[in-house]
Amino acid sequence: MMQLYSGTTCPFSHRCRFVLYEKGMDFQVIDVDMYNKPEDLAVMNPYNRLPVLVERDLILYESNIINEYIDERFPHPQLMPADPVMRARARLMLFNMEVELFSQVEALESGKEKPMDKARQQVTDRLIELAPVFTKTKHMLGDDFTMLDVAIAPLLWRLDHYGIKLGKPAAPLMKYAERIFSRPAFIEALTPSEKVMRK
């Protein structure tokens, strides 16, 4: 059985929980206190970060790598596009998302006012740029729910928690977010600590 070492408030762990529930398979989530990590975590992941997936003698870290592995190992429903061109495009978009949005998570959670303000501004600008996409499409890659929707959902869920107000220009994005949040797998994947992040 797969075991996911998951931070109860970690957006990267949230992604992996979302995929596991979306696939509806057998797995065990091991909740890890972000501020009191077990010693064996540093043995499994040299960067001492979450999430970490363990399956028999395979140990994986980095949420996008974990999620692609789960997607290939359990192909239904398929979350990465089948077409190589679209799959490459999806990987590039995932990479951009890490660089432009998720690289700000550390600053947003740092409790230091200046870095937090800067990170809020960066995330706000990027998301407002993204919003018009959702006037034309249901999901990030068109009509189908894919790994890109999985990847961005934990950040959208945490906007209130991070003190990010997007306002009217982001209305299509927020409508899209609500659609993702209403998916049964998304709801199941939320930890009690995550549930309270949104008013």
Side-chain angles (χ1 to χ4, degrees):
M1 189 194 279
M2 283 187 174
Q3 293 179 314
L4 181 74
Y5 288 80
S6 157
T8 49
T9 56
C10 162
F12 302 98
S13 300
H14 189 175
R15 266 182 193 171
C16 296
R17 281 183 260 120
F18 190 6
V19 164
L20 287 165
Y21 280 107
E22 202 61 55
K23 298 281 184 182
M25 35 176 276
D26 247 4
F27 60 90
Q28 181 189 10
V29 173
I30 297 162
D31 288 326
V32 176
D33 177 351
M34 302 287 288
Y35 305 100
N36 188 16
K37 295 175 188 162
E39 280 170 25
D40 58 347
L41 185 69
V43 177
M44 292 187 284
N45 179 353
Y47 304 104
N48 200 23
R49 287 203 303 252
L50 293 159
V52 173
L53 183 82
V54 179
E55 188 183 28
R56 295 189 199 93
D57 50 3
L58 175 72
I59 296 174
L60 293 175
Y61 42 89
E62 285 310 301
S63 59
N64 288 332
I65 293 170
I66 291 172
N67 280 353
E68 271 212 53
Y69 169 72
I70 295 167
D71 194 44
E72 287 174 3
R73 181 122 161 52
F74 301 92
H76 300 289
Q78 190 170 18
L79 296 174
M80 281 301 271
D83 171 59
V85 173
M86 286 304 284
R87 198 160 58 240
R89 209 168 274 164
R91 285 190 179 123
L92 193 58
M93 288 169 80
L94 285 167
F95 175 75
N96 291 342
M97 211 183 276
E98 294 311 290
V99 173
E100 293 173 16
L101 292 170
F102 280 84
S103 61
Q104 306 301 317
V105 165
E106 207 170 312
L108 289 167
E109 294 183 350
S110 69
K112 300 187 184 95
E113 212 42 59
K114 264 197 175 139
M116 283 169 79
D117 284 343
K118 206 176 154 204
R120 280 189 198 111
Q121 194 55 56
Q122 165 81 2
V123 170
T124 301
D125 294 347
R126 291 289 83 79
L127 290 177
I128 287 172
E129 273 172 29
L130 188 63
V133 168
F134 300 103
T135 55
K136 299 183 207 65
T137 67
K138 211 169 148 197
H139 294 101
M140 286 194 78
L141 269 186
D143 286 340
D144 295 331
F145 175 81
T146 67
M147 201 61 88
L148 291 167
D149 305 301
V150 168
I152 201 166
L155 178 67
L156 297 177
W157 180 260
R158 286 163 171 73
L159 292 178
D160 282 350
H161 179 68
Y162 291 151
I164 295 170
K165 307 268 179 281
L166 295 178
K168 274 213 174 70
L173 175 75
M174 294 327 288
K175 237 168 138 169
Y176 153 78
E178 290 303 331
R179 276 202 303 277
I180 302 295
F181 300 159
S182 66
R183 292 181 77 86
F186 186 85
I187 296 162
E188 280 182 272
L190 288 167
T191 64
S193 317
E194 285 166 342
K195 280 182 181 146
V196 299
M197 285 179 173
R198 233 168 147 260
K199 297 157 192 64

